[in-house]
Amino acid sequence: MENLISLVNKIQRACTALGDHGDSSALPTLWDSLPAIAVVGGQSSGKSSVLESIVGKDFLPRGSGIVTRRPLVLQLQKIDEGAREYAEFLHLPRKKFSNFAEVRQEIQDETDRETGRSKAISSVPIHLSIYSPNVVNLTLVDLPGLTKVAVEGQSDSIVKDIENMVRAYIEKPNCIILAISPANQDLATSDAIKISREVDPSGERTFGVLTKIDLMDKGTDAVEILEGKSFKLKYPWVGVVNRSQADINKNVDMIAARRREREYFSNTTEYRHLAHKMGSEHLAKMLSKHLEHVIKSRIPGIQSLINKTVSELESELSRLGKPIAADAGGKLYSIMEICRLFDQIFKEHLDGVRAGGEKVYNVFDNQLPAALKRLQFDKQLAMDNIRKLVTEADGYQPHLIAPEQGYRRLIESSIVSIRGPAEASVDTVHAILKDLVHKSVNETVELKQYPALRVEVTNAAIESLDKMKEGSKKATLQLVDMECSYLTVDFFRKLPQDVEKGGNPTHSIFDRYNDSYLRRIGSNVLSYVNMVCAGLRNSIPKSIVYCQVREAKRSLLDHFFAELGTMDMRRLSSLLNEDPAIMERRSAISKRLELYRAAQSEIDAVAWSK
């Protein structure tokens, strides 16, 4: 069982060392889940004397006003009889104090280091471990004494600040409250009892300690309270008799004081029947046993909390990414790795692993054919326009067999309108690729760490896509222009011919331009243009995929990689200028994870030792 208190002591020390004080924080806290005994009392209630009596040493600062200005986590550990007793502070791990007057001075000095020489308070605890054969295994948290008036040099809010600090400790369900009240004052006005009742109305977590019993007015006693009749708590009240101020001034030995305390309860008629459960020695043993019981009952819950929190912290640390490398080579490698991750995500969008690539196919399968269908060749091949173009193409000398030049002009004027849908397809695919770049940037978790690199990668990718678009547009429009520059002769050779090969030459020139003849020309041209459209419907997507999609997959960041090789340390560092909030969060998460892993190991070690 003693291992359990030692276990909690180790975890508490780790909490303080790694910044977990149980105060409000955006980080999970282990401190709040650990069972602890908080010592609560008003000024001059005898709180310090009770603690010194439990320890058997004179070691706490004394004086007027508020002396305890930081929580003191006092960890008592029993050692073998005859061994030399000593004390250690967490903030001075290699120094052992055998002179307890020096312990008192160090408590005062360490308080001043945190709060300054003002009389302000701080919630950051001081950890003190005392190893002695005269103590039981026990951990107590000594809190600043509750007060009603601020002394000179303290802010007006000090009264409320102390109350809030005490309340923050004792309102936690894992906190055991040791409420110190002087017997020579009305218990109804006790600060300790009042605040304990507010946070623990049923008294399930409260132990009552009555001090200064020997200083009560003659003819009065505390029997009704100690027997639990006038003020009932779940656990029995414990009365103690501390050293008087005269004893303190004379440096009366604490062991002798304990003996006098035992004699007082044994020899005083009113308390003789209660003597076996009175005194600081009994109080220490009772608290130690109760603390062991509470720790034992809480261990499974603490283990579950630790395991769950370790998993959550590891997940968040992974999401926040690794810290920045210090050297130029490490920075360059980090940037290249992040860029490769982005590039891989971008390719996954195109290849169907992630959504987005199907939009490119939709352009080719739906938008381009629909745009080609919307081209109004009928207007281009209206009777008046055919007559006009054929006549103009003949010039002063009419065609002999077929109006070849007229055919060419009609075909070219129709095919050139296909440039619009072709160009629109290039632009639409370009817009889709740009959108996928932005999506990929957002999905690359590592880029969220480095805003400057995020901007550079985005700009470099968009710049590459712009260049690819221009190349694709040029190549795609050339496909259309090729169709204009060279007609497929076989198409016309296979057309059915008139018996008279283009008409009766005896007919006048005006008969050659009759409506029937011109309609036939329009029909032939439309058939040819439709054939060209069908071919371009297949070749335009190939050109776009080759020039844009394929190139984007192959060399999206090639130019940026080339630039990286020429950057100096300062420029590389500027790309990895991380958001300070993320850096701070990662550092905090790392420390908290270290704490939880240490606690996990300590608990596992205790479990295996059993």
Side-chain angles (χ1 to χ4, degrees):
M1 289 294 281
E2 291 178 356
N3 282 344
L4 294 178
I5 293 181
S6 297
L7 166 67
V8 172
N9 288 349
K10 289 178 183 177
I11 297 175
Q12 282 178 333
R13 287 197 291 271
C15 284
T16 298
L18 294 170
D20 181 2
H21 308 131
D23 45 7
S24 57
S25 167
L27 295 168
T29 173
L30 183 56
W31 179 278
D32 288 349
S33 67
L34 300 174
I37 299 175
V39 185
V40 182
Q43 284 185 35
S44 303
S45 63
K47 182 165 63 72
S48 295
S49 295
V50 170
L51 290 174
E52 288 183 333
S53 184
I54 288 174
V55 174
K57 285 292 176 184
D58 223 343
F59 69 98
L60 290 173
R62 293 184 180 276
S64 60
I66 301 170
V67 179
T68 304
R69 292 185 285 119
R70 288 175 61 182
L72 175 67
V73 180
L74 180 61
Q75 298 177 339
L76 307 181
Q77 299 190 43
K78 187 175 181 64
I79 56 177
D80 295 336
E81 288 292 334
R84 188 179 182 184
E85 54 190 356
Y86 64 94
E88 281 184 342
F89 288 94
L90 180 63
H91 62 275
L92 296 172
R94 294 179 183 84
K95 186 173 181 179
K96 292 184 178 181
F97 293 79
S98 55
N99 183 340
F100 281 80
E102 293 179 4
V103 172
R104 180 189 303 114
Q105 187 59 49
E106 181 57 33
I107 292 173
Q108 185 63 56
D109 292 345
E110 178 61 13
T111 299
D112 290 342
R113 290 184 197 111
E114 179 69 25
T115 64
R117 291 205 173 269
S118 67
K119 296 189 177 181
I121 62 170
S122 168
S123 62
V124 178
I126 298 173
H127 273 259
L128 173 62
S129 297
I130 294 179
Y131 301 83
S132 170
N134 302 315
V135 299
V136 294
N137 290 304
L138 183 60
T139 300
L140 301 163
V141 183
D142 183 23
L143 296 172
L146 296 161
T147 183
K148 293 181 171 62
V149 181
V151 300
E152 186 178 351
Q154 291 179 329
S155 68
D156 294 336
S157 66
I158 192 74
V159 175
K160 195 66 179 175
D161 292 343
I162 292 175
E163 183 180 332
N164 290 340
M165 183 195 295
V166 171
R167 191 183 301 277
Y169 266 86
I170 66 175
E171 68 185 358
K172 294 164 186 169
N174 290 308
C175 181
I176 301 161
I177 305 168
L178 189 63
I180 311 291
S181 301
N184 59 350
Q185 293 179 15
D186 187 354
L187 200 60
T189 65
S190 167
D191 296 319
I193 292 297
K194 177 176 178 292
I195 197 169
S196 299
R197 273 290 170 94
E198 289 175 5
V199 300
D200 181 32
S202 63
E204 294 285 322
R205 298 185 287 116
T206 303
F207 283 82
V209 177
L210 210 57
T211 63
K212 303 185 180 182
I213 292 177
D214 55 326
L215 300 180
M216 295 180 71
D217 293 336
K218 286 186 178 181
T220 62
D221 60 57
V223 173
E224 291 283 312
I225 297 172
L226 295 176
E227 288 181 344
K229 294 177 180 177
S230 65
F231 200 94
K232 191 172 181 62
L233 294 173
K234 178 178 179 180
Y235 303 102
W237 281 82
V238 177
V240 297
V241 174
N242 299 324
R243 292 180 302 166
S244 66
Q245 189 60 47
D247 292 336
I248 294 171
N249 294 339
K250 293 176 184 177
N251 293 320
V252 171
D253 178 67
M254 197 68 70
I255 302 303
R258 284 183 180 176
R259 185 174 60 253
R260 285 170 54 180
E261 181 185 43
R262 288 195 298 270
E263 291 172 353
Y264 174 83
F265 285 110
S266 298
N267 298 331
T268 303
T269 306
E270 292 85 358
Y271 305 117
R272 190 174 297 150
H273 66 293
L274 298 171
H276 64 286
K277 51 183 179 181
M278 295 291 121
S280 54
E281 287 180 288
H282 171 76
L283 175 64
K285 290 175 183 176
M286 180 181 70
L287 291 176
S288 178
K289 186 176 180 180
H290 182 75
L291 183 59
E292 288 171 351
H293 173 74
V294 172
I295 291 172
K296 186 177 181 181
S297 67
R298 297 286 196 278
I299 285 294
I302 294 173
Q303 278 182 303
S304 176
L305 171 68
I306 288 174
N307 293 336
K308 177 175 177 287
T309 308
V310 164
S311 176
E312 291 172 351
L313 291 174
E314 285 176 339
S315 176
E316 182 172 0
L317 199 59
S318 174
R319 182 179 60 78
L320 291 174
K322 298 176 181 176
I324 306 167
D327 59 296
K331 290 180 185 297
L332 180 60
Y333 177 80
S334 296
I335 292 172
M336 295 284 284
E337 281 300 299
I338 292 170
C339 289
R340 288 192 186 100
L341 290 171
F342 156 76
D343 197 46
Q344 182 60 35
I345 291 172
F346 178 74
K347 289 175 182 175
E348 288 175 359
H349 277 293
L350 290 173
D351 292 338
V353 179
R354 299 171 187 248
E358 74 282 355
K359 294 180 181 178
V360 175
Y361 176 71
N362 183 60
V363 173
F364 303 147
D365 195 50
N366 293 309
Q367 296 180 34
L368 176 61
L372 292 174
K373 284 183 180 179
R374 286 195 298 269
L375 292 176
Q376 297 179 339
F377 295 128
D378 292 345
K379 287 186 178 180
Q380 190 67 26
L381 298 176
M383 196 68 68
D384 291 342
N385 197 47
I386 294 173
R387 180 179 286 107
K388 177 175 177 292
L389 289 179
V390 170
T391 304
E392 288 176 353
D394 279 351
Y396 73 93
Q397 187 172 332
H399 61 271
L400 298 177
I401 299 176
E404 181 175 326
Q405 291 303 318
Y407 267 107
R408 288 185 183 280
R409 289 194 183 183
L410 286 168
I411 290 171
E412 287 173 8
S413 65
S414 298
I415 290 178
V416 76
S417 63
I418 300 175
R419 289 173 64 97
E423 194 169 1
S425 296
V426 171
D427 290 338
T428 304
V429 170
H430 177 66
I432 291 170
L433 294 176
K434 281 175 64 176
D435 182 58
L436 293 182
V437 163
H438 289 297
K439 277 188 177 179
S440 301
V441 166
N442 291 332
E443 291 169 11
T444 305
V445 176
E446 291 74 9
L447 282 175
K448 293 179 181 178
Q449 285 182 245
Y450 312 111
L453 180 59
R454 179 188 177 103
V455 171
E456 288 290 332
V457 169
T458 303
N459 290 343
I462 298 301
E463 187 178 338
S464 291
L465 290 180
D466 288 343
K467 290 178 180 177
M468 293 170 193
K469 183 188 80 168
E470 294 308 313
S472 177
K473 190 169 288 187
K474 183 178 178 181
T476 303
L477 293 180
Q478 279 180 340
L479 290 176
V480 180
D481 295 343
M482 287 178 198
E483 294 292 344
C484 293
S485 63
Y486 187 81
L487 306 185
T488 304
V489 179
D490 282 351
F491 175 85
F492 294 97
R493 287 175 178 168
K494 292 177 181 177
L495 288 174
Q497 301 294 319
D498 286 341
V499 176
E500 298 177 358
K501 300 279 185 180
N504 187 345
T506 61
H507 291 173
S508 70
I509 187 68
F510 299 106
D511 291 338
R512 289 174 180 269
Y513 300 129
N514 62 43
D515 288 354
S516 176
Y517 182 65
L518 294 176
R519 271 196 296 272
R520 179 163 187 166
I521 292 174
S523 176
N524 290 341
V525 169
L526 183 59
S527 296
Y528 183 81
V529 171
N530 285 336
M531 180 194 74
V532 170
C533 277
L536 288 175
R537 176 179 170 178
N538 294 322
S539 58
I540 287 173
K542 292 177 181 178
S543 173
I544 292 174
V545 168
Y546 185 84
C547 296
Q548 288 175 266
V549 179
R550 175 181 168 276
E551 276 302 296
K553 288 176 64 178
R554 192 177 67 86
S555 60
L556 185 63
L557 293 179
D558 280 7
H559 184 66
F560 181 63
F561 288 152
E563 280 188 356
L564 281 176
T566 65
M567 291 182 185
D568 58 15
M569 179 70 167
R570 184 184 61 80
R571 183 79 176 94
L572 291 172
S573 297
S574 70
L575 290 178
L576 293 176
N577 271 345
E578 194 172 14
D579 183 347
I582 292 180
M583 294 174 67
E584 186 178 338
R585 179 71 178 172
R586 184 192 298 110
S587 175
I589 289 290
S590 297
K591 285 185 178 180
R592 198 54 55 95
L593 183 58
E594 182 184 346
L595 164 63
Y596 274 82
R597 283 174 175 162
Q600 199 173 41
S601 298
E602 294 290 352
I603 290 178
D604 288 347
V606 170
W608 279 108
S609 69
K610 292 182 178 180

